[in-house]
Structures are given as C-alpha cells and as structure tokens.
C-alpha cells in the first residue's frame, strides 16, 4: 500500500535521471542496515519448504538479489533485512571505474522494464574489500560478481578476473563470472568456447590453491550467461562448464533485444524486466533440460507466480532486480510467502497424482 506512493515520489524526484532513485534507495538501505530489527519482523518469512542446501551453502529461501544493484557491497546489511535468501554484489572489476556517462538507466513503467548501460561503474576490487572489512556481515550467503575492467584488453581479461577473485576470495560465499553484460565492449566474447575455457580453468586452479591455503572448502564458481546466445552457443557454454566442473549457471543477464517493449526508444543498453521474462525462462529450461548443473534463474520476476514458474523451469534459486524497483522492498517477503504456498499446493497435487495412479 505504501510503496506505490513512495515509488511515485521516487520516480518523480528522479525523472531526469533514474539513477538518483537508486542512490536514494541505497542510502536508505544503508541506514536500515544499522537498525535491522525495525524491518525484520515484517520482512523475515521463515518456512522450511523454502530452505535448501546448494553448492555447500545453506539458503533460507530461494529469492536472491541479482548482480548490479549493490555494486560496491555498501548496503548488504539493509538488503539482508528485506528477507532475501542470498545477495549477489558487484559486478566488481580489478580497477575502479566510472562507467558510462549519465543518464544511463531508463525506465519504461508501462512495460515494467528498464534499459541500462551502466558499464560496470564500481569502486574496484580493493574498494569492495575495504567495504567488507568494515561491515558486520549478514548471515546469508553473499555471492560476488566479477567482471573485466574497461581499460583491460580482452587478451588480458583473465588477469583482471583473477585479481578480483584473489582480493575478495575470503568474503564471497560464491563467485559469479560475469561474461554476459552487454555494456562492456567485447565482454560477451568471453562466452566463446576457448576464452571461457581458459578463464574457468584459471579461476578453478586459483580457487583450489586459495582454499588449500586457507584450509576451507573450494568457493563455488558460477557463470552468468546472456539471453542473446543462440542454442548452439549455449551448448558450447554448457560443454565447457560441464567439462570444467563449474558449480552452476546464472541465467540470464539483460538482453539487447527490444522484443516485448511496447514503448518506442533508441536508448542503447541491456533491457530487463517483464519483456525479458519469457526468454530468461526459456533459457533456464533449455539449460536444465541439457545439463545437471544447478541454475539460478533471473529475468522478469515480479511476484511469487513468476518465481514459481522459474523454479518449475528447473532453476534451483531465483534473483530479482527490476522487480524490486517496480514492486518495492516488500516484494521479497511477499514472494517468499506466495512461493511457500505454491510449493505446498504443488507437492500435495503431486502426492495425490501418485496416490491416484497407484
Ligand atoms: C541497472 C542495472 C544494472 C545491472 N548491473 C549488473 C551487473 O553489474 N552485473 C550483472 O551480472 N548483472 C547486472 N544487471 C543484470 C541483472 O543482474 C539481471 O540479470 C537482469 O536485470 C535481469 O533481471 P531482472 O529482469 O529481474 O532485472 C543489471 C541490471 C540493471 C537493471
């Protein structure tokens, strides 16, 4: 009830540059993080049916925050109080960088969509390290998304990823290898077989060494893919990921397609939200039908029904970004409540079907 008003004010205040709304939201979340008990009793929804262990990590529920919302891990405590089962911070790059000129986010409320061309604006791996060092970490898993700095040429990309991985190793519950953002020139080339293979092997080897030195389990490595890949290209990604024992995939990043966007626009960048929903779900289903690799499904999830459909397509966990912008902070607990109900109904139906056919 409250959020439509808040959204109205926020969208009004940030009409010229929607990034202002994002900056305000992060500031408020930082503040909330200092007093988590204020929100916790409204947002923390617990239900054993939502819990699972995956990649050796415990998830209290399957709803996570997608990469790109908290690029520097400045608001992880506040975000955790919204009831997320896990957070993904970043994408962080080796070097701090400003990203593309503003404005670089565009809202399309009629379509429940966003176009962004942020270009990995972030404080760099060392900046994120400082942030983690001074933050009292929430108890949920925190994934760190790593990417390539703009100034780094493609043939030196592996060193870039390696630097961020090493620097932040002890703080990430898992690491997402982002090779699918459309806003860093050349980045998506890293999804090609040979590039991806070298990148994964290098990070896997480093992961073993770092885990051995620290006497801990190897940190899970996941690959985030684009929805714009052909089925053949996805097959190649899957072959590399399976051969190299990647722990899972995240599908999908934003799309360059404008299908499903009713508003005319010439803004460049990646499209997210409702228009991405079908394609993201289709890609998740394809991956789950062709491999046993666990998938985190992301793209156009706005409510419990959308989340449930993504889980039915085969995803083990889901993430949201654009849904959080349009539906507001209470969408996380509402989604979990709804998911709990839908999962129970589904289980009962399955039991009835088995009993009926016996
Ligand atoms: C403004 C904005 C910035 C984003 N930045 C990143 C990023 O840095 N790293 C990343 O992996 N994905 C990034 N994404 C993509 C999201 O994580 C997600 O994959 C995509 O938006 C689809 O989900 P959604 O429809 O729920 O937004 C960004 C998305 C938006 C809207």
């Amino acid at each position: 009830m409250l959020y439509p008003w808040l959204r109205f004010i926020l969208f009004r205040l940030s009409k010229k540059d929607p990034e202002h709304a994002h900056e305000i939201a992060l500031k408020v979340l930082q503040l909330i993080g200092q007093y988590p008990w204020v929100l916790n009793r409204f947002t923390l929804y617990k239900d054993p049916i939502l819990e699972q262990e995956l990649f050796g990590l415990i998830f209290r529920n399957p709803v996570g925050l997608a990469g790109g919302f908290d690029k520097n891990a400045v608001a992880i405590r506040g975000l955790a109080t919204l009831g997320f089962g896990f957070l993904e911070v970043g994408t962080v790059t080796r070097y701090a960088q400003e990203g593309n000129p503003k404005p670089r986010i565009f809202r399309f409320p009629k379509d429940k969509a966003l176009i962004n061309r942020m270009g990995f604006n972030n404080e760099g791996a060392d900046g994120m390290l400082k942030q983690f060092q001074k933050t009292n970490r929430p108890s949920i898993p925190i994934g760190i998304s790593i990417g390539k700095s703009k100034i780094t040429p493609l043939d030196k990309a592996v060193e870039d990823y390696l630097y961020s991985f090493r620097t932040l190793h002890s703080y990430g519950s898992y690491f997402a290898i982002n090779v699918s953002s459309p806003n860093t020139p050349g980045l998506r080339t890293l999804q090609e077989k040979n590039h991806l293979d070298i990148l994964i092997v290098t990070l896997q080897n480093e992961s073993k060494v770092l885990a051995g030195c620290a006497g801990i389990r190897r940190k899970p490595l996941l690959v985030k893919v684009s929805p714009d890949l052909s089925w053949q290209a996805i097959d190649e990604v899957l072959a590399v990921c399976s051969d190299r024992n990647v722990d899972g995939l995240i599908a999908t990043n934003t799309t360059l397609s404008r299908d499903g966007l009713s508003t005319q626009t010439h803004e460049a960048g990646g499209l997210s939200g409702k228009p991405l929903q079908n394609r993201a779900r289709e890609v998740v289903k394809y991956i789950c039908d062709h491999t046993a690799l666990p998938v985190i499904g992301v793209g156009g999830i706005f409510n419990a029904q959308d989340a449930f459909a993504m889980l039915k397509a085969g995803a083990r966990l889901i993430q949201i970004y654009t849904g959080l912008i349009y539906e507001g902070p209470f969408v996380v607990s509402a989604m979990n409540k709804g998911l709990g109900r839908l999962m129970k109904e589904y289980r009962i139906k399955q039991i009835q079907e088995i009993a009926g056919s016996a």
Side-chain angles (χ1 to χ4, degrees):
M1 284 301 267
L2 186 68
Y3 189 68
W5 285 103
L6 202 62
R7 184 180 54 200
F8 177 77
I9 297 165
L10 265 178
F11 280 18
R12 263 291 164 101
L13 284 175
S14 59
K15 205 169 173 195
K16 276 209 183 107
D17 182 5
E19 206 172 328
H20 282 323
H22 189 75
E23 285 155 8
I24 295 168
L26 275 180
K27 286 250 151 54
V28 172
L29 282 163
Q30 276 177 297
L31 192 71
I32 288 170
Q34 292 174 29
Y35 311 97
W37 42 267
V38 176
L39 267 190
N40 265 350
R41 69 188 125 146
F42 303 111
T43 52
L44 284 194
Y45 177 76
K46 281 194 181 165
D47 187 339
I49 202 166
L50 299 174
E51 290 169 15
Q52 65 177 308
E53 188 180 339
L54 191 64
F55 324 122
L57 303 169
I58 305 290
F59 293 86
R60 67 185 180 191
N61 68 63
V63 181
L65 177 76
F69 187 90
D70 189 358
K71 289 186 184 273
N72 300 302
V74 294
I76 50 177
R77 287 186 61 77
L79 283 161
T81 67
L82 300 187
F84 282 111
F86 65 109
L87 307 173
E88 190 172 304
V89 296
T91 296
V92 68
T93 54
R94 175 178 186 163
Y95 302 106
Q97 53 184 34
E98 293 207 335
N100 291 320
K102 296 178 182 180
R104 51 194 179 178
I105 308 185
F106 307 90
R107 283 190 296 248
F108 301 92
K110 226 171 62 189
D111 294 302
K112 289 201 163 179
L114 296 173
I115 288 178
N116 91 83
R117 49 169 181 269
M118 306 296 285
F120 291 165
N121 54 307
N122 77 101
E123 300 294 328
D126 294 312
M128 188 183 275
L129 176 67
K130 282 192 196 126
Q131 204 51 246
F132 272 119
Q133 284 168 338
K134 67 179 186 199
T135 310
N136 193 355
R137 191 194 164 87
S139 58
I140 55 174
I142 299 181
I144 300 179
S145 170
I146 53 178
K148 182 187 85 66
S149 316
K150 192 176 177 189
I151 55 163
T152 303
L154 216 55
D155 60 340
K156 295 269 186 300
V158 174
E159 291 156 41
D160 229 66
Y161 283 84
L162 204 53
Y163 182 88
S164 301
F165 183 59
R166 277 189 190 131
T167 306
L168 296 161
H169 182 261
S170 48
Y171 291 97
S173 311
Y174 71 84
F175 284 81
I177 308 173
N178 186 356
V179 282
S180 48
S181 166
N183 300 313
T184 296
L187 187 89
R188 303 205 301 178
T189 315
L190 296 172
Q191 290 176 116
E192 287 171 10
K193 204 165 53 182
N194 296 340
H195 285 295
L196 189 62
D197 195 53
I198 294 169
L199 181 57
I200 291 173
V201 169
T202 310
L203 290 173
Q204 289 281 39
N205 288 341
E206 185 67 12
S207 186
K208 280 182 208 147
V209 173
L210 291 172
C213 291
I216 53 169
R217 284 175 64 119
R218 202 178 49 74
K219 296 281 167 104
L221 281 175
L222 284 80
V223 174
K224 185 163 180 179
V225 295
S226 160
D228 300 334
L229 293 174
S230 65
W231 297 128
Q232 194 194 338
I234 292 180
D235 285 340
E236 287 183 10
V237 169
L238 295 184
V240 175
C241 289
S242 300
D243 288 351
R244 298 302 184 185
N245 290 322
V246 156
D247 297 271
L249 286 126
I250 305 173
T252 68
N253 215 314
T254 54
T255 176
L256 287 177
S257 156
R258 295 294 179 256
D259 289 352
L261 189 69
S262 67
T263 320
Q264 280 292 321
T265 176
H266 296 294
E267 294 300 349
L271 175 68
S272 61
K274 269 271 143 73
L276 177 61
Q277 188 183 78
N278 287 342
R279 178 61 186 164
R281 203 186 291 162
E282 182 182 41
V283 172
V284 168
K285 181 158 178 15
Y286 185 89
I287 296 172
C288 296
D289 286 348
H290 289 80
T291 66
L293 291 168
V295 178
I296 301 180
V298 50
I301 297 173
F302 284 73
N303 53 41
Q305 281 76 17
D306 298 342
F308 189 61
M310 193 57 110
L311 295 176
K312 274 182 78 184
R316 297 286 301 271
L317 300 166
I318 63 113
Q319 292 177 327
I320 59 168
Y321 188 136
T322 308
L324 185 63
I325 307 294
Y326 284 105
E327 306 299 320
F330 293 105
V331 71
V332 186
S333 52
M335 211 175 264
N336 276 314
K337 261 182 219 157
L339 263 181
R341 187 178 42 77
L342 289 167
M343 285 162 99
K344 278 172 209 149
E345 283 170 10
Y346 187 66
R347 281 210 187 151
I348 291 168
K349 218 169 106 194
Q350 277 183 319
I351 293 167
Q352 283 169 342
E353 274 168 21
I354 293 167
S357 65

